[in-house]
Amino acid sequence: MPALLGKKLGMTQVFQEDGRVERVTVVEAGPCVVTAIRTEERDGYEAVQLAFGEIREKSITKGELGHLKKADAGPLKHVREFRDEAGELQVGEVVKVDVFEPGQIVKVSGVSKGKGFQGTIKRHNFSRGPVSHGSHNVRAPGSIGASATPSRVFKGIRGPGQMGNERVTQRGLTVVDVKPDQNLILLRGSVPGAKGTTVEIRTEGKGAS
């Protein structure tokens, strides 16, 4: 069952036995409680539902609390479904970080940092215009359409707007180390989101909903 919910703690570096330095992201992964199993016969698809993140009981609704109690779980904040990951799991089981092992290739999904309203240079990596001879087109996007025909701007033109704060999946991350006693997993490279945000870790080729 190589799928877990976790919390991004930040980045650091670790020294390998051969002296190499690995830049890693530290994620507190699990423990996650299995709160539901979806089957093809009953639900039309196969998936496992995991819950993570302790929270005060008064902070969730009675319906959510009742759903969690069916799995003998306490109040948990985050609930996610992972497609095609059920395996032999049963409702009420606890999934821990030791389902992953060093050297495994995983992908991590999360909500990226919000950058607010940004222009085309920062948002789409446009080049700036000239800055000499009285230019008024230093950071403007330039022409975005024709004048006479078709006398409009085509849909899909890259322009300024909201940047970040969207779901992003980083693929091809390698598990550098797993620390089951601390519920920590170290991943080579960067992971989407700010410190403290919830992320989904699963093996390559698997989906989540």
Side-chain angles (χ1 to χ4, degrees):
M1 172 38 215
L4 272 181
L5 288 170
K7 180 173 69 174
K8 179 179 177 179
L9 300 183
M11 295 195 70
T12 185
Q13 61 183 20
V14 295
F15 290 90
Q16 301 293 72
E17 294 181 356
D18 58 1
R20 292 184 299 109
V21 179
E22 291 284 8
R23 282 77 176 178
V24 298
T25 301
V26 183
V27 179
E28 180 187 345
C32 297
V33 182
V34 179
T35 53
I37 299 292
R38 308 302 184 191
T39 61
E40 185 73 33
E41 297 77 14
R42 184 185 62 205
D43 305 293
Y45 65 98
E46 294 184 357
V48 59
Q49 186 183 93
L50 300 180
F52 168 77
E54 294 184 358
I55 194 174
R56 293 181 300 176
E57 185 173 319
K58 67 178 184 179
S59 298
I60 61 176
T61 65
K62 290 183 178 180
E64 293 170 333
L65 191 61
H67 177 68
L68 293 170
K69 285 184 176 179
K70 292 179 181 179
D72 293 327
L76 299 171
K77 185 175 182 180
H78 304 286
V79 178
R80 299 285 191 280
E81 285 189 4
F82 293 85
R83 295 289 185 100
D84 304 321
E85 294 281 7
E88 301 298 327
L89 290 175
Q90 301 295 328
V91 174
E93 285 190 41
V94 178
V95 184
K96 298 183 178 180
V97 72
D98 54 9
V99 296
F100 294 103
E101 56 186 22
Q104 207 168 5
I105 305 299
V106 299
K107 58 183 177 181
V108 179
S109 299
V111 178
S112 62
K113 293 181 180 179
K115 305 293 184 179
F117 189 96
Q118 297 297 332
T120 54
I121 291 180
K122 181 170 183 177
R123 191 182 188 209
H124 299 297
N125 200 29
F126 280 15
S127 298
R128 64 168 175 80
V131 295
S132 59
H133 299 290
S135 171
H136 296 285
N137 188 29
V138 179
R139 293 180 69 89
S143 176
I144 59 174
S147 56
T149 304
S151 299
R152 64 184 177 86
V153 178
F154 286 110
K155 291 182 179 180
I157 293 294
R158 292 178 297 170
Q162 166 68 33
M163 181 180 178
N165 194 31
E166 59 185 2
R167 181 180 172 86
V168 177
T169 298
Q170 183 67 44
R171 300 176 180 273
L173 298 176
T174 303
V175 178
V176 175
D177 196 8
V178 176
K179 300 182 181 296
D181 55 331
Q182 299 174 304
N183 296 318
L184 298 180
I185 183 172
L186 308 184
L187 304 173
R188 179 187 296 144
S190 59
V191 166
K195 294 179 181 178
T197 56
T198 302
V199 295
E200 303 166 6
I201 309 172
R202 54 198 190 277
T203 54
E204 281 283 17
K206 302 296 183 179
S209 59

